[in-house]
Amino acid sequence: MFAIEDIRDWRGHDVIDADGKKIGELEAVYVDTSTDQPFFATVKIGLPSRHRLVFVPLAEATVGPGHVRVAFAKKQVKDAPSIDTDGELPAGDEEAVFAHYGLTYQAEPDQRRLGRR
């Protein structure tokens, strides 16, 4: 895993899947609020007039020249829960993001599991 300070430098760079297919551009990083470690990224996808942000886990992600490679297929990422480009993930929708990737979701009552950095 890489440090949050490093991944911020990749905002606007391409996000590619394990096969090297471009998914979109890295928009933001969400950290696990219990560890403050990078956990998800949002990727800007869609047509210029209809962009949206989808979530992808950063587990097993690697950085290369001008890109971040994630461990998930392009189709799975594009089908992930999304928000508007100026939106914020509602706390009640966090569990659906985890479930889309088969990840266990545990959060304390009235607390968020993800925080945007």
Side-chain angles (χ1 to χ4, degrees):
M1 185 55 69
F2 30 78
I4 188 72
E5 297 82 20
D6 297 338
I7 194 66
R8 283 186 188 151
D9 295 339
W10 293 92
R11 186 174 184 203
H13 284 71
D14 290 343
V15 175
I16 61 175
D17 72 2
D19 295 327
K21 296 176 187 167
K22 181 179 176 182
I23 300 169
E25 292 181 4
L26 184 84
E27 175 64 25
V29 174
Y30 283 73
V31 297
D32 182 326
T33 57
S34 65
T35 65
D36 205 36
Q37 292 298 309
F39 204 80
F40 277 93
T42 52
V43 182
K44 187 188 307 184
I45 65 168
L47 302 171
S49 61
R50 296 187 347 199
H51 281 137
R52 62 190 174 101
L53 301 175
V54 293
F55 289 82
V56 63
L58 289 172
E60 299 180 37
T62 58
V63 293
H67 69 268
V68 175
R69 182 183 302 263
V70 295
F72 298 89
K74 180 178 182 176
K75 178 164 180 21
Q76 184 177 12
V77 176
K78 287 196 167 202
D79 291 343
S82 65
I83 57 174
D84 291 334
T85 54
D86 60 350
E88 182 178 323
L89 180 67
D93 292 350
E94 286 184 357
E95 188 169 2
V97 173
F98 281 73
H100 180 77
Y101 292 101
L103 301 172
T104 302
Y105 179 79
Q106 294 177 337
E108 297 296 323
D110 300 324
Q111 294 209 356
R112 296 189 69 111
R113 173 81 190 270
L114 299 174
R116 185 177 176 172
R117 296 285 190 261

